[in-house]
């Protein structure tokens, strides 16, 4: 897939208030459930931790798409 297209879509998603609210709500819900989770239910605890991490990792991936396009653009300036 075209890095410029990925970067543009990533930037659009990062600035989309509904998308960001959805990620925030997913992470907050998982963390709130962790507070009241049965400490003996390790599977549920791990699942909730994974949900919270994935919500953050989506943002990290979007940042990587944006940075990759910037690096490619800057490298082209020196070629």
């Amino acid at each position: 897939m075209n890095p410029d297209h990925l970067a543009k879509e990533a930037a659009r998603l990062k600035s989309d208030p509904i998308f960001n609210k959805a990620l925030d709500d997913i992470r907050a819900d998982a963390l709130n459930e962790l507070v009241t989770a049965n400490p003996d239910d390790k599977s549920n605890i791990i699942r909730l931790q994974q949900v919270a991490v994935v919500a953050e990792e989506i943002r990290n991936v979007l940042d990587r798409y944006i940075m990759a396009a910037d690096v490619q653009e800057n490298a082209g300036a020196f070629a």
Side-chain angles (χ1 to χ4, degrees), residues 17-53:
I18 295 170
F19 182 73
N20 283 298
K21 180 169 176 22
L23 290 179
D24 290 342
D25 288 352
I26 289 166
R27 185 175 186 277
D29 289 349
L31 293 176
N32 286 332
E33 286 184 51
L34 269 171
V35 171
T36 59
N38 177 350
D40 296 324
D41 189 352
K42 291 181 177 64
S43 294
N44 189 43
I45 290 171
I46 290 170
R47 183 188 68 78
L48 292 169
Q49 288 172 333
Q50 290 171 333
V51 169
V53 169

Side-chain angles (χ1 to χ4, degrees), residues 41-74:
D41 189 352
K42 291 181 177 64
S43 294
N44 189 43
I45 290 171
I46 290 170
R47 183 188 68 78
L48 292 169
Q49 288 172 333
Q50 290 171 333
V51 169
V53 169
V54 166
E56 284 305 308
E57 190 59 25
I58 289 170
R59 289 184 169 108
N60 294 337
V61 170
L62 294 175
D63 287 337
R64 283 200 312 263
Y65 290 159
I66 294 166
M67 287 189 298
D70 288 345
V71 167
Q72 185 176 23
E73 182 177 297
N74 290 337

